[in-house]
Amino acid sequence: MRQTFTVLDLLNLDLKEHNDLGLRCIAGRQGLSREIRMPDLNRPGLALSGFFDNFGYERIQIFGRGEHAYLEKLDAQGNSDTIRHLFEQGVPCAIFTHDLYPTERLIAIATDTGTPVLQTSLATSDFNSRLIRALSNVFAKTLTTHGVLVEVFGIGIFIIGDSGVGKSEAALELVHRGHRLVADDAVEIRNVSGNVLIGSGANKALGHHMEIRGLGIINITHLFGVGAIRETKQIQLVVELENWDSEKVYDRIGAEEKTTEILGVKVPYLLVPVKPGRNIPIIIETAAMNERLKKMGYFSAKEFNQSVMKWLETENARKIYMQKRQMIESLQDRLRGDDSE
């Protein structure tokens, strides 16, 4: 169940570089505990003019240059009724872009109603795209599950399986071979934008540690360097490890694409049996490269199947041709025998 997300949480979001919102509170600090209930935004131009039909009171209100110019016009007219009506409806907060500063009348109303007023130096379009991206992540469906998430040749692979089957050992060998660890043991998965699964470590305090039976807890960052880790990665392939069952028939061709569903999103799925002599890390590497080929439109198993079918068709055609040729030769021999008589 999603925890409450407030305006103060929005201000405290730890976003870096091109995701940074650059927000600061300039009024209405007593309302920073107000809850933000949806990831949608609203430009209150029509509301400022007095039209409140179907107005999104639960949305964050964005004030750009157009809204700011209209606020100054209302201030010059001494008209603050629509502003007060807007803020009295309990909107989560108001955000001014372009480093625009609200009128003193609006500041007074915001303070009186306890409505947080925030400010950013970003342009409206840039800020809106960043904020929507951040809120989509906050409000995304979330699942915490057991497994190991690694990046192999650019493909995010979520390794699952029963405890003790060798998930962490396989991931450790992959890191040793130059790939990157995202999370071990507990993986938090978010459904972003409805069709993208983003995985990360469920416990940020533990960082990129791994538990290896017989060895204990190891710190991947200290052992292999920062190049061996990632904070987040899209899950593009699920690999399940299971102990080899001699009575079970495993797929040997792979012509059928199998998927598994996580948070309503279907992800390519592979079942890999584990037994002595099988090099699981190399199998996972090959699976990653094969998945990249599939995304480029090349499906090895299907191409193999088509080649076999063409060969069978060619072989059948050759047999039919040879049979007809033999019949013709036999008929010709018979005709020659009749002529000689």
Side-chain angles (χ1 to χ4, degrees), residues 140-141 189-199 233-235 263 265:
K141 294 180 181 178
I189 303 174
R190 292 180 176 274
N191 180 344
V192 179
S193 301
N195 60 352
V196 177
L197 298 176
I198 302 297
K233 178 62 184 177
Q234 180 183 352
I235 297 176
L263 293 174
V265 179

mmCIF file with all atom_site columns, all heavy atoms in Angstrom, residues 140-141 189-199 233-235 263 265:
data_model
loop_
_atom_site.group_PDB
_atom_site.id
_atom_site.type_symbol
_atom_site.label_atom_id
_atom_site.label_alt_id
_atom_site.label_comp_id
_atom_site.label_asym_id
_atom_site.label_entity_id
_atom_site.label_seq_id
_atom_site.pdbx_PDB_ins_code
_atom_site.Cartn_x
_atom_site.Cartn_y
_atom_site.Cartn_z
_atom_site.occupancy
_atom_site.B_iso_or_equiv
_atom_site.pdbx_formal_charge
_atom_site.auth_seq_id
_atom_site.auth_comp_id
_atom_site.auth_asym_id
_atom_site.auth_atom_id
_atom_site.pdbx_PDB_model_num
ATOM 1   N N   . ALA A 1 140 ? 3.635  5.165  -8.832  1.00 0.00 ? 140 ALA A N   1
ATOM 2   C CA  . ALA A 1 140 ? 3.643  3.902  -9.566  1.00 0.00 ? 140 ALA A CA  1
ATOM 3   C C   . ALA A 1 140 ? 3.299  2.731  -8.648  1.00 0.00 ? 140 ALA A C   1
ATOM 4   O O   . ALA A 1 140 ? 3.593  2.752  -7.453  1.00 0.00 ? 140 ALA A O   1
ATOM 5   C CB  . ALA A 1 140 ? 5.024  3.676  -10.192 1.00 0.00 ? 140 ALA A CB  1
ATOM 6   N N   . LYS A 1 141 ? 2.672  1.704  -9.229  1.00 0.00 ? 141 LYS A N   1
ATOM 7   C CA  . LYS A 1 141 ? 2.417  0.473  -8.485  1.00 0.00 ? 141 LYS A CA  1
ATOM 8   C C   . LYS A 1 141 ? 3.760  -0.138 -8.095  1.00 0.00 ? 141 LYS A C   1
ATOM 9   O O   . LYS A 1 141 ? 4.683  -0.198 -8.907  1.00 0.00 ? 141 LYS A O   1
ATOM 10  C CB  . LYS A 1 141 ? 1.628  -0.516 -9.337  1.00 0.00 ? 141 LYS A CB  1
ATOM 11  C CG  . LYS A 1 141 ? 0.220  -0.074 -9.679  1.00 0.00 ? 141 LYS A CG  1
ATOM 12  C CD  . LYS A 1 141 ? -0.467 -1.134 -10.536 1.00 0.00 ? 141 LYS A CD  1
ATOM 13  C CE  . LYS A 1 141 ? -1.868 -0.706 -10.918 1.00 0.00 ? 141 LYS A CE  1
ATOM 14  N NZ  . LYS A 1 141 ? -2.527 -1.704 -11.795 1.00 0.00 ? 141 LYS A NZ  1
ATOM 15  N N   . ILE A 1 189 ? 10.173 -3.249 -7.280  1.00 0.00 ? 189 ILE A N   1
ATOM 16  C CA  . ILE A 1 189 ? 9.794  -3.089 -8.683  1.00 0.00 ? 189 ILE A CA  1
ATOM 17  C C   . ILE A 1 189 ? 8.658  -2.077 -8.780  1.00 0.00 ? 189 ILE A C   1
ATOM 18  O O   . ILE A 1 189 ? 7.668  -2.172 -8.061  1.00 0.00 ? 189 ILE A O   1
ATOM 19  C CB  . ILE A 1 189 ? 9.363  -4.431 -9.287  1.00 0.00 ? 189 ILE A CB  1
ATOM 20  C CG1 . ILE A 1 189 ? 10.484 -5.466 -9.140  1.00 0.00 ? 189 ILE A CG1 1
ATOM 21  C CG2 . ILE A 1 189 ? 9.000  -4.265 -10.755 1.00 0.00 ? 189 ILE A CG2 1
ATOM 22  C CD1 . ILE A 1 189 ? 10.086 -6.858 -9.572  1.00 0.00 ? 189 ILE A CD1 1
ATOM 23  N N   . ARG A 1 190 ? 8.805  -1.116 -9.689  1.00 0.00 ? 190 ARG A N   1
ATOM 24  C CA  . ARG A 1 190 ? 7.777  -0.104 -9.905  1.00 0.00 ? 190 ARG A CA  1
ATOM 25  C C   . ARG A 1 190 ? 7.262  -0.182 -11.343 1.00 0.00 ? 190 ARG A C   1
ATOM 26  O O   . ARG A 1 190 ? 8.060  -0.314 -12.275 1.00 0.00 ? 190 ARG A O   1
ATOM 27  C CB  . ARG A 1 190 ? 8.319  1.308  -9.650  1.00 0.00 ? 190 ARG A CB  1
ATOM 28  C CG  . ARG A 1 190 ? 8.646  1.569  -8.187  1.00 0.00 ? 190 ARG A CG  1
ATOM 29  C CD  . ARG A 1 190 ? 9.188  2.989  -8.003  1.00 0.00 ? 190 ARG A CD  1
ATOM 30  N NE  . ARG A 1 190 ? 9.430  3.295  -6.605  1.00 0.00 ? 190 ARG A NE  1
ATOM 31  C CZ  . ARG A 1 190 ? 8.521  3.751  -5.774  1.00 0.00 ? 190 ARG A CZ  1
ATOM 32  N NH1 . ARG A 1 190 ? 7.297  3.986  -6.211  1.00 0.00 ? 190 ARG A NH1 1
ATOM 33  N NH2 . ARG A 1 190 ? 8.820  4.010  -4.520  1.00 0.00 ? 190 ARG A NH2 1
ATOM 34  N N   . ASN A 1 191 ? 5.948  -0.086 -11.479 1.00 0.00 ? 191 ASN A N   1
ATOM 35  C CA  . ASN A 1 191 ? 5.322  -0.038 -12.791 1.00 0.00 ? 191 ASN A CA  1
ATOM 36  C C   . ASN A 1 191 ? 5.193  1.438  -13.182 1.00 0.00 ? 191 ASN A C   1
ATOM 37  O O   . ASN A 1 191 ? 4.302  2.141  -12.721 1.00 0.00 ? 191 ASN A O   1
ATOM 38  C CB  . ASN A 1 191 ? 3.952  -0.714 -12.758 1.00 0.00 ? 191 ASN A CB  1
ATOM 39  C CG  . ASN A 1 191 ? 3.259  -0.693 -14.105 1.00 0.00 ? 191 ASN A CG  1
ATOM 40  O OD1 . ASN A 1 191 ? 3.634  0.051  -15.003 1.00 0.00 ? 191 ASN A OD1 1
ATOM 41  N ND2 . ASN A 1 191 ? 2.238  -1.502 -14.252 1.00 0.00 ? 191 ASN A ND2 1
ATOM 42  N N   . VAL A 1 192 ? 6.100  1.899  -14.032 1.00 0.00 ? 192 VAL A N   1
ATOM 43  C CA  . VAL A 1 192 ? 6.130  3.303  -14.442 1.00 0.00 ? 192 VAL A CA  1
ATOM 44  C C   . VAL A 1 192 ? 5.491  3.437  -15.822 1.00 0.00 ? 192 VAL A C   1
ATOM 45  O O   . VAL A 1 192 ? 5.790  2.657  -16.730 1.00 0.00 ? 192 VAL A O   1
ATOM 46  C CB  . VAL A 1 192 ? 7.580  3.828  -14.467 1.00 0.00 ? 192 VAL A CB  1
ATOM 47  C CG1 . VAL A 1 192 ? 7.614  5.287  -14.906 1.00 0.00 ? 192 VAL A CG1 1
ATOM 48  C CG2 . VAL A 1 192 ? 8.219  3.670  -13.096 1.00 0.00 ? 192 VAL A CG2 1
ATOM 49  N N   . SER A 1 193 ? 4.600  4.406  -15.971 1.00 0.00 ? 193 SER A N   1
ATOM 50  C CA  . SER A 1 193 ? 3.925  4.701  -17.239 1.00 0.00 ? 193 SER A CA  1
ATOM 51  C C   . SER A 1 193 ? 3.030  3.560  -17.705 1.00 0.00 ? 193 SER A C   1
ATOM 52  O O   . SER A 1 193 ? 2.634  3.519  -18.868 1.00 0.00 ? 193 SER A O   1
ATOM 53  C CB  . SER A 1 193 ? 4.949  5.032  -18.335 1.00 0.00 ? 193 SER A CB  1
ATOM 54  O OG  . SER A 1 193 ? 5.733  6.141  -17.948 1.00 0.00 ? 193 SER A OG  1
ATOM 55  N N   . GLY A 1 194 ? 2.737  2.617  -16.830 1.00 0.00 ? 194 GLY A N   1
ATOM 56  C CA  . GLY A 1 194 ? 1.795  1.558  -17.158 1.00 0.00 ? 194 GLY A CA  1
ATOM 57  C C   . GLY A 1 194 ? 2.381  0.348  -17.848 1.00 0.00 ? 194 GLY A C   1
ATOM 58  O O   . GLY A 1 194 ? 1.774  -0.717 -17.855 1.00 0.00 ? 194 GLY A O   1
ATOM 59  N N   . ASN A 1 195 ? 3.576  0.469  -18.449 1.00 0.00 ? 195 ASN A N   1
ATOM 60  C CA  . ASN A 1 195 ? 4.131  -0.668 -19.188 1.00 0.00 ? 195 ASN A CA  1
ATOM 61  C C   . ASN A 1 195 ? 5.641  -0.833 -19.035 1.00 0.00 ? 195 ASN A C   1
ATOM 62  O O   . ASN A 1 195 ? 6.262  -1.599 -19.775 1.00 0.00 ? 195 ASN A O   1
ATOM 63  C CB  . ASN A 1 195 ? 3.784  -0.545 -20.673 1.00 0.00 ? 195 ASN A CB  1
ATOM 64  C CG  . ASN A 1 195 ? 4.349  0.727  -21.290 1.00 0.00 ? 195 ASN A CG  1
ATOM 65  O OD1 . ASN A 1 195 ? 4.881  1.593  -20.593 1.00 0.00 ? 195 ASN A OD1 1
ATOM 66  N ND2 . ASN A 1 195 ? 4.226  0.855  -22.588 1.00 0.00 ? 195 ASN A ND2 1
ATOM 67  N N   . VAL A 1 196 ? 6.236  -0.120 -18.105 1.00 0.00 ? 196 VAL A N   1
ATOM 68  C CA  . VAL A 1 196 ? 7.684  -0.211 -17.887 1.00 0.00 ? 196 VAL A CA  1
ATOM 69  C C   . VAL A 1 196 ? 7.945  -0.581 -16.435 1.00 0.00 ? 196 VAL A C   1
ATOM 70  O O   . VAL A 1 196 ? 7.438  0.074  -15.514 1.00 0.00 ? 196 VAL A O   1
ATOM 71  C CB  . VAL A 1 196 ? 8.394  1.125  -18.224 1.00 0.00 ? 196 VAL A CB  1
ATOM 72  C CG1 . VAL A 1 196 ? 9.886  1.019  -17.910 1.00 0.00 ? 196 VAL A CG1 1
ATOM 73  C CG2 . VAL A 1 196 ? 8.186  1.484  -19.686 1.00 0.00 ? 196 VAL A CG2 1
ATOM 74  N N   . LEU A 1 197 ? 8.732  -1.629 -16.222 1.00 0.00 ? 197 LEU A N   1
ATOM 75  C CA  . LEU A 1 197 ? 9.084  -2.079 -14.879 1.00 0.00 ? 197 LEU A CA  1
ATOM 76  C C   . LEU A 1 197 ? 10.489 -1.603 -14.532 1.00 0.00 ? 197 LEU A C   1
ATOM 77  O O   . LEU A 1 197 ? 11.454 -1.941 -15.233 1.00 0.00 ? 197 LEU A O   1
ATOM 78  C CB  . LEU A 1 197 ? 9.013  -3.609 -14.789 1.00 0.00 ? 197 LEU A CB  1
ATOM 79  C CG  . LEU A 1 197 ? 7.638  -4.250 -15.028 1.00 0.00 ? 197 LEU A CG  1
ATOM 80  C CD1 . LEU A 1 197 ? 7.762  -5.761 -14.991 1.00 0.00 ? 197 LEU A CD1 1
ATOM 81  C CD2 . LEU A 1 197 ? 6.629  -3.767 -13.996 1.00 0.00 ? 197 LEU A CD2 1
ATOM 82  N N   . ILE A 1 198 ? 10.592 -0.811 -13.469 1.00 0.00 ? 198 ILE A N   1
ATOM 83  C CA  . ILE A 1 198 ? 11.884 -0.302 -13.011 1.00 0.00 ? 198 ILE A CA  1
ATOM 84  C C   . ILE A 1 198 ? 12.216 -0.961 -11.676 1.00 0.00 ? 198 ILE A C   1
ATOM 85  O O   . ILE A 1 198 ? 11.421 -0.891 -10.734 1.00 0.00 ? 198 ILE A O   1
ATOM 86  C CB  . ILE A 1 198 ? 11.863 1.233  -12.855 1.00 0.00 ? 198 ILE A CB  1
ATOM 87  C CG1 . ILE A 1 198 ? 11.498 1.898  -14.185 1.00 0.00 ? 198 ILE A CG1 1
ATOM 88  C CG2 . ILE A 1 198 ? 13.218 1.724  -12.360 1.00 0.00 ? 198 ILE A CG2 1
ATOM 89  C CD1 . ILE A 1 198 ? 12.490 1.661  -15.307 1.00 0.00 ? 198 ILE A CD1 1
ATOM 90  N N   . GLY A 1 199 ? 13.375 -1.594 -11.601 1.00 0.00 ? 199 GLY A N   1
ATOM 91  C CA  . GLY A 1 199 ? 13.793 -2.277 -10.384 1.00 0.00 ? 199 GLY A CA  1
ATOM 92  C C   . GLY A 1 199 ? 14.918 -1.551 -9.679  1.00 0.00 ? 199 GLY A C   1
ATOM 93  O O   . GLY A 1 199 ? 15.754 -0.898 -10.310 1.00 0.00 ? 199 GLY A O   1
ATOM 94  N N   . LYS A 1 233 ? 17.260 -0.032 -12.825 1.00 0.00 ? 233 LYS A N   1
ATOM 95  C CA  . LYS A 1 233 ? 17.343 -0.597 -14.177 1.00 0.00 ? 233 LYS A CA  1
ATOM 96  C C   . LYS A 1 233 ? 15.988 -1.153 -14.572 1.00 0.00 ? 233 LYS A C   1
ATOM 97  O O   . LYS A 1 233 ? 15.272 -1.732 -13.757 1.00 0.00 ? 233 LYS A O   1
ATOM 98  C CB  . LYS A 1 233 ? 18.392 -1.715 -14.226 1.00 0.00 ? 233 LYS A CB  1
ATOM 99  C CG  . LYS A 1 233 ? 18.517 -2.386 -15.593 1.00 0.00 ? 233 LYS A CG  1
ATOM 100 C CD  . LYS A 1 233 ? 18.972 -1.405 -16.663 1.00 0.00 ? 233 LYS A CD  1
ATOM 101 C CE  . LYS A 1 233 ? 19.005 -2.067 -18.036 1.00 0.00 ? 233 LYS A CE  1
ATOM 102 N NZ  . LYS A 1 233 ? 19.370 -1.106 -19.108 1.00 0.00 ? 233 LYS A NZ  1
ATOM 103 N N   . GLN A 1 234 ? 15.631 -0.980 -15.842 1.00 0.00 ? 234 GLN A N   1
ATOM 104 C CA  . GLN A 1 234 ? 14.389 -1.555 -16.350 1.00 0.00 ? 234 GLN A CA  1
ATOM 105 C C   . GLN A 1 234 ? 14.520 -3.073 -16.433 1.00 0.00 ? 234 GLN A C   1
ATOM 106 O O   . GLN A 1 234 ? 15.548 -3.596 -16.879 1.00 0.00 ? 234 GLN A O   1
ATOM 107 C CB  . GLN A 1 234 ? 14.071 -0.996 -17.741 1.00 0.00 ? 234 GLN A CB  1
ATOM 108 C CG  . GLN A 1 234 ? 12.781 -1.567 -18.336 1.00 0.00 ? 234 GLN A CG  1
ATOM 109 C CD  . GLN A 1 234 ? 12.518 -1.063 -19.744 1.00 0.00 ? 234 GLN A CD  1
ATOM 110 O OE1 . GLN A 1 234 ? 13.214 -0.172 -20.238 1.00 0.00 ? 234 GLN A OE1 1
ATOM 111 N NE2 . GLN A 1 234 ? 11.531 -1.636 -20.407 1.00 0.00 ? 234 GLN A NE2 1
ATOM 112 N N   . ILE A 1 235 ? 13.491 -3.777 -15.980 1.00 0.00 ? 235 ILE A N   1
ATOM 113 C CA  . ILE A 1 235 ? 13.484 -5.243 -16.053 1.00 0.00 ? 235 ILE A CA  1
ATOM 114 C C   . ILE A 1 235 ? 12.995 -5.647 -17.434 1.00 0.00 ? 235 ILE A C   1
ATOM 115 O O   . ILE A 1 235 ? 11.854 -5.399 -17.810 1.00 0.00 ? 235 ILE A O   1
ATOM 116 C CB  . ILE A 1 235 ? 12.584 -5.845 -14.950 1.00 0.00 ? 235 ILE A CB  1
ATOM 117 C CG1 . ILE A 1 235 ? 13.149 -5.495 -13.563 1.00 0.00 ? 235 ILE A CG1 1
ATOM 118 C CG2 . ILE A 1 235 ? 12.470 -7.358 -15.115 1.00 0.00 ? 235 ILE A CG2 1
ATOM 119 C CD1 . ILE A 1 235 ? 12.280 -5.971 -12.419 1.00 0.00 ? 235 ILE A CD1 1
ATOM 120 N N   . LEU A 1 263 ? 3.159  -6.977 -11.968 1.00 0.00 ? 263 LEU A N   1
ATOM 121 C CA  . LEU A 1 263 ? 2.409  -5.721 -11.846 1.00 0.00 ? 263 LEU A CA  1
ATOM 122 C C   . LEU A 1 263 ? 1.643  -5.389 -13.128 1.00 0.00 ? 263 LEU A C   1
ATOM 123 O O   . LEU A 1 263 ? 1.563  -4.234 -13.553 1.00 0.00 ? 263 LEU A O   1
ATOM 124 C CB  . LEU A 1 263 ? 3.350  -4.564 -11.478 1.00 0.00 ? 263 LEU A CB  1
ATOM 125 C CG  . LEU A 1 263 ? 3.990  -4.621 -10.092 1.00 0.00 ? 263 LEU A CG  1
ATOM 126 C CD1 . LEU A 1 263 ? 4.992  -3.492 -9.925  1.00 0.00 ? 263 LEU A CD1 1
ATOM 127 C CD2 . LEU A 1 263 ? 2.938  -4.551 -8.999  1.00 0.00 ? 263 LEU A CD2 1
ATOM 128 N N   . VAL A 1 265 ? 2.409  -6.193 -16.186 1.00 0.00 ? 265 VAL A N   1
ATOM 129 C CA  . VAL A 1 265 ? 3.257  -6.047 -17.370 1.00 0.00 ? 265 VAL A CA  1
ATOM 130 C C   . VAL A 1 265 ? 3.871  -7.404 -17.716 1.00 0.00 ? 265 VAL A C   1
ATOM 131 O O   . VAL A 1 265 ? 4.441  -8.077 -16.858 1.00 0.00 ? 265 VAL A O   1
ATOM 132 C CB  . VAL A 1 265 ? 4.383  -5.016 -17.147 1.00 0.00 ? 265 VAL A CB  1
ATOM 133 C CG1 . VAL A 1 265 ? 5.275  -4.894 -18.385 1.00 0.00 ? 265 VAL A CG1 1
ATOM 134 C CG2 . VAL A 1 265 ? 3.793  -3.665 -16.781 1.00 0.00 ? 265 VAL A CG2 1
#
